[in-house]
Structure formats: structure tokens, C-alpha cells
Amino acid sequence: MKEFWRVSIIGSGYVGLVAGACLAKLGNKVTLVDIDEEKIKTINNGVYPIYEEGLNEILSQVEIEASSDYQRIVGSDMIFLCVGTPPSEGGSVSLEDITEAAKQVADTLKRGNDYCVIAVKSTVPPGTTEEIVIPILERSRKKAGNDFGVCMAPEFLREGKAVYDFMNPMRLIIGELDKRSGDMLLDLYHDFNVPILRTNLRTAEMIKLASNAFLAMKLSFINEIGNICKQLGIDTHEVAKGMAFDERIGGKFLNAGIGFGGSCLPKDIRMLIAGAQETGYAPRLLEEVSKLNEKQALKPVELLKKHISLKGASIGLLGLAFKPGTDDVRESRAIMIVRALLEEGATIKAYDSLAVENFKRLFPQIEYVSKEDVLNCDAILIITEWEEFNNLDYRGKIIIDGRGVLKAKEARIYEGVCW
Ligand code: UGA
């Protein structure tokens, strides 16, 4: 067991920054590299580009070198690629950043002589590490699995709880090209006493995608059950509670509502679908999970129309983030809802605990107000289940609830999307 490892992290998004901070906290020497100089500057000034519970605290306790200069990674024992793989046309993802990062790393490999491990942490289509990353790294004229090691080590971090999840993983998945690289990664994670699966690179890539697709499927499943329950006058939450006693089903990810958003679940399932289609296989179940999720987002607007005419009406939105505990609005259900409401000619007043600034960039034309002012609108939609929404006075209001905020049931007119 080594006292500490010299670890470099490429990419300072959610995964990179959190992994870097946590690995430093575990006693390793961490260098963070990002080509975005502004981001690096702010990080070096102690301001972090994302909101993550507990992250600031860790970053104030550890020393991390942040730089936009790839030369700083020469001499690392391990280099983690944590760059983004944003959605691209046709459901697939852009591998531009990971390709560029691999080129830069290849360049630095030429300079160092010691064996080091390059580990992909970005979520990528199965086969990417083998078919794209390794050939680029080998342009350094060094041989993968011999002169340097390669791993694919997916992270399973929930946004908002990423620090907790990193420090308390449920499992470690280590895809390895060569045994030596897997051994080194295992040593890096020696603090964690959890199930470990050592496997090949493309299996590790698939485990990450299949895990997210399964969670997505669970959500679309309970939303479908919820839509049926709504027709039959049955409370879906009660149904989910009853189902959850069966350990094979489990109670997590059974909160029905307006569907899943964020930068991972919707994109990852599309990535899996696109990849399957390329092989000639039509993944019907996954396609339906994704389609159902898109339809589900617009349920509150459909229900609202039963109660008021939207043209000229003022509609209040409680919540804009894709889930509570984050300021992230990527693929938030609020985006589709706002578009639909604007098309119908409604005026919108919105409130969120953390995500107003991010949402404003997408929709500068709507009004951002206090939660009390939201309640003064003609009707109100609950889009994110922030805890503070359980303390509002909903009496006399028209509420369409997309998330199951119990207190809102006191409203004059209350409708849940699936209950
Ligand atoms: C997800 C996975 O949960 C992580 O394990 C994974 O590592 C991460 O993606 C990733 O790939 O990096 P995250 O996107 O942070 O994490 O969000 P989740 O907590 O999974 O929530 C996703 C969406 O599902 C949210 O919009 C949430 O509101 C919705 N959701 C979740 C429900 O509608 N009902 C539930 O019961 C649970």
C-alpha cells in the first residue's frame, strides 16, 4: 500500500472536481487540469464552479494544484479523464473533449518515463476507451498495457450528494486493460470496504450505462403505474410503498411524478439507444422509457388546462432545478414546461432555492420572484420538491403538483400528476 499517489484529474466538472477534492482528502497529491482558464482562475481563488454539498469544506482543507497547463501532469502515477460527453445529434454524445484530452495526455506521455495509469471516468459509449482513447494514447509511441496502463473506472455520483457518494460508494467497478493498472487503482481506493468488480474496459463502460438506464426504467415504470392510478383514483405513493416491502423491488426511485432530468439519466439512456441501433438492434424497452419521460414532463400543463384558460393567465412555478439539492437545470422538466406555457400565452413567475441564475440564462424573459409571490399567481405548478415548499400556505390556491409535496394538498384545488 502506497502512502499517497500523484493523481491528475482532467476536467473540473462535477465528477472531476469532486473526485479531485475527495482523493486529496484521502491523502493523495492532486493536480487538476482544465482547458478553461477562467474556471481554473476561479478555482485557484477559492470559488468553485458548481454547488455540491460538502465540497467547499473539503476544498478548504486540502491543497489541490489547478492549472490549464497539461505539462503539470507529467510524473503522475494516475491520470483520470473526467471531461464531459455532452449530447450530440441523433441521441449520441460528443467525444470531442475526451479525444482532445487523450491527445494532450499522449503528448505528456512522451515526456515521462515511468509507468502511469490513464483511467477514463467520463460516461462513454462501450468501446470508446479501447477504440478511441487507447489508439490516441499510443500515438506517444508507447504501448498501452505495457509502458502505461489503462482503466475505465465509472463513478456513480448523484449531483448534490456527490461528495457523500464518492466517500461512501456502494461498489467499485474497475475496468482494466492490464492487471498492474487495476492493482494501482485498487490501492488508490484501499479505504473503501465495498464490493469490487474487476472487469474489462467495455464491460465497465456498459455497467455505468446499464445502471443509469435501469434507474430511468424504474422511474418511467412507476410514472406509468402512476398515470394508470390517476385514472382509477388510486394513490400511487401508497402503491409504491406497498411494492417496496418486496426486497426484490426496493423502495428507492419509486417516487412518481413528472419524470427524470439532469445531465445523466436522459442523456445516458439516449446514448445506449443510439449505440444499440448502430449495432442493428432496436432497444424497444429503452426507447419507450425515454419517450414516456418526455411526455410525462408536460402532464402538469395538460392538467392545468382543465382548471383555467392559459392565455393571459399568470402561472407560478415552484422549482426549476432538475431535482432538489442542486442548482443544475440541465434537462430539468421546468424547461419543457416553461416552453409549453409560453406557447399557450401564459405569463410566468418562478422561484427556485438555488437554480434561478442558471435558469435565467435559458429564459431571461420570465419573471423570477419570491416563493410568496409565486403563490399569488392564478395557478401554481410544483416542479421540484424542495423541502421549503412543505412550509408554504397553499390554502385557497390552485395547485398542480408534479412531485408529491404533501402540504400542498390543503389547496382549494389540488391535483397531483400521478395521484
Ligand atoms: C444519476 C444517478 O442516480 C447516479 O447514480 C449517477 O452516477 C449519475 O446520474 C451520473 O451518471 O453521473 P443524478 O443525475 O444526480 O444521478 O440524479 P438522480 O438523483 O438520479 O435523479 C435523476 C432524476 O430522477 C431527477 O430529475 C429526479 O427528480 C428524478 N427522480 C428520482 C424521480 O422523479 N423520482 C425518484 O424517485 C427519484
Side-chain angles (χ1 to χ4, degrees):
M1 210 158 59
K2 210 163 140 133
E3 199 189 330
F4 69 87
W5 292 98
R6 287 163 300 173
V7 179
S8 287
I9 307 272
I10 315 295
S12 59
Y14 281 92
V15 173
L17 203 52
V18 170
C22 293
L23 288 172
K25 174 89 181 156
L26 293 171
N28 301 288
K29 191 172 170 330
V30 174
T31 304
L32 189 67
V33 173
D34 197 299
I35 46 166
D36 186 336
E37 287 182 19
E38 273 309 303
K39 234 180 186 180
I40 291 297
K41 236 187 251 165
T42 56
I43 291 172
N44 280 328
N45 286 335
V47 181
Y48 307 108
I50 54 168
Y51 170 80
E52 241 346 294
E53 202 175 280
L55 184 63
N56 280 10
E57 200 187 328
I58 293 192
L59 285 167
S60 68
Q61 296 162 355
V62 298
E63 283 224 358
I64 289 185
E65 188 196 352
S67 171
S68 53
D69 179 7
Y70 269 89
Q71 294 313 313
R72 309 307 275 256
I73 71 175
V74 176
S76 303
D77 301 308
M78 297 176 210
I79 301 168
F80 288 105
L81 303 184
C82 302
V83 294
T85 48
S88 70
E89 287 293 299
S92 196
V93 288
S94 162
L95 297 175
E96 217 174 287
D97 289 354
I98 196 154
T99 304
E100 191 47 40
K103 280 185 196 159
Q104 298 280 356
V105 171
D107 209 42
T108 63
L109 280 180
K110 284 184 200 155
R111 273 155 244 254
N113 288 322
D114 295 337
Y115 176 94
C116 85
V117 177
I118 291 99
V120 174
K121 276 205 180 293
S122 310
T123 304
V124 291
T128 304
T129 307
E130 256 168 38
E131 289 153 27
I132 297 179
V133 177
I134 291 180
I136 296 174
L137 295 175
E138 287 189 330
R139 288 187 204 161
S140 61
R141 297 190 188 285
K142 296 201 167 162
K143 182 94 190 85
N146 196 15
D147 304 319
F148 64 91
V150 179
C151 284
M152 198 288 151
E155 281 301 341
F156 302 92
L157 311 177
R158 290 164 302 165
E159 270 186 44
K161 299 277 176 225
V163 169
Y164 176 86
D165 287 349
F166 192 96
M167 292 302 204
N168 303 276
M170 287 189 248
R171 82 290 218 181
L172 291 175
I173 303 297
I174 301 181
E176 60 196 44
L177 176 70
D178 53 319
K179 183 172 178 307
R180 185 174 174 191
S181 62
D183 287 346
M184 276 170 70
L185 230 60
L186 209 57
D187 190 72
L188 178 75
Y189 290 126
H190 68 259
D191 287 289
F192 304 127
N193 184 17
V194 291
I196 295 163
L197 181 70
R198 292 178 73 163
T199 181
N200 62 35
L201 298 169
R202 59 177 64 216
T203 306
E205 290 165 333
M206 186 51 126
I207 289 171
K208 167 72 192 200
L209 284 187
S211 299
N212 274 359
F214 187 84
L215 294 174
M217 180 188 70
K218 218 172 165 189
L219 292 175
S220 277
F221 174 85
I222 197 64
N223 288 339
E224 179 131 288
I225 295 293
N227 293 340
I228 301 168
C229 284
K230 172 106 184 144
Q231 299 288 73
L232 297 174
I234 298 168
D235 182 341
T236 316
H237 296 125
E238 201 78 356
V239 173
K241 211 167 158 185
M243 288 165 64
F245 292 121
D246 184 329
E247 283 172 12
R248 294 168 304 173
I249 297 172
K252 302 218 168 104
F253 269 67
L254 280 186
N255 194 21
I258 47 176
F260 54 86
S263 66
C264 303
L265 261 46
K267 181 194 75 168
D268 291 356
I269 195 161
R270 289 195 299 263
M271 192 194 308
L272 195 50
I273 292 170
Q277 285 166 342
E278 270 172 36
T279 70
Y281 179 77
R284 297 268 179 259
L285 174 65
L286 300 180
E287 284 167 358
E288 235 12 84
V289 166
S290 187
K291 274 189 213 152
L292 202 92
N293 191 51
E294 296 314 295
K295 272 211 227 140
Q296 200 69 12
L298 293 175
K299 284 256 158 199
V301 180
E302 275 168 39
L303 292 173
L304 194 56
K305 283 194 206 160
K306 285 195 337 205
H307 300 285
I308 58 168
S309 152
L310 290 179
K311 196 158 178 53
S314 68
I315 305 299
L317 304 185
L318 286 175
L320 299 167
F322 86 90
K323 66 172 184 179
T326 176
D327 63 353
D328 197 342
V329 298
R330 283 176 290 176
E331 301 218 24
S332 168
R333 310 291 82 192
I335 296 173
M336 288 172 74
I337 291 171
V338 165
R339 275 200 201 115
L341 290 173
L342 290 174
E343 259 168 40
E344 297 276 351
T347 57
I348 300 173
K349 294 188 182 192
Y351 170 82
D352 189 274
S353 312
L354 284 176
V356 167
E357 287 312 311
N358 285 339
F359 208 77
K360 235 185 227 171
R361 277 185 221 120
L362 303 178
F363 292 98
Q365 70 272 46
I366 70 171
E367 229 184 301
Y368 298 90
V369 299
S370 68
K371 48 187 186 273
E372 288 75 19
D373 283 346
V374 164
L375 288 178
N376 289 329
C377 291
D378 297 331
I380 296 113
L381 306 184
I382 302 180
I383 298 178
T384 318
E385 66 277 35
W386 285 103
E387 189 53 45
E388 60 176 323
F389 298 160
N390 253 318
N391 303 321
L392 296 176
D393 183 358
Y394 295 96
R395 284 172 300 176
K397 313 290 177 192
I398 301 178
I399 305 284
I400 310 294
D401 183 2
R403 294 296 186 187
V405 172
L406 279 182
K407 176 86 172 359
K409 288 194 172 167
E410 68 185 17
R412 177 169 63 86
I413 296 177
Y414 173 88
E415 279 229 39
V417 282
C418 297
W419 52 93

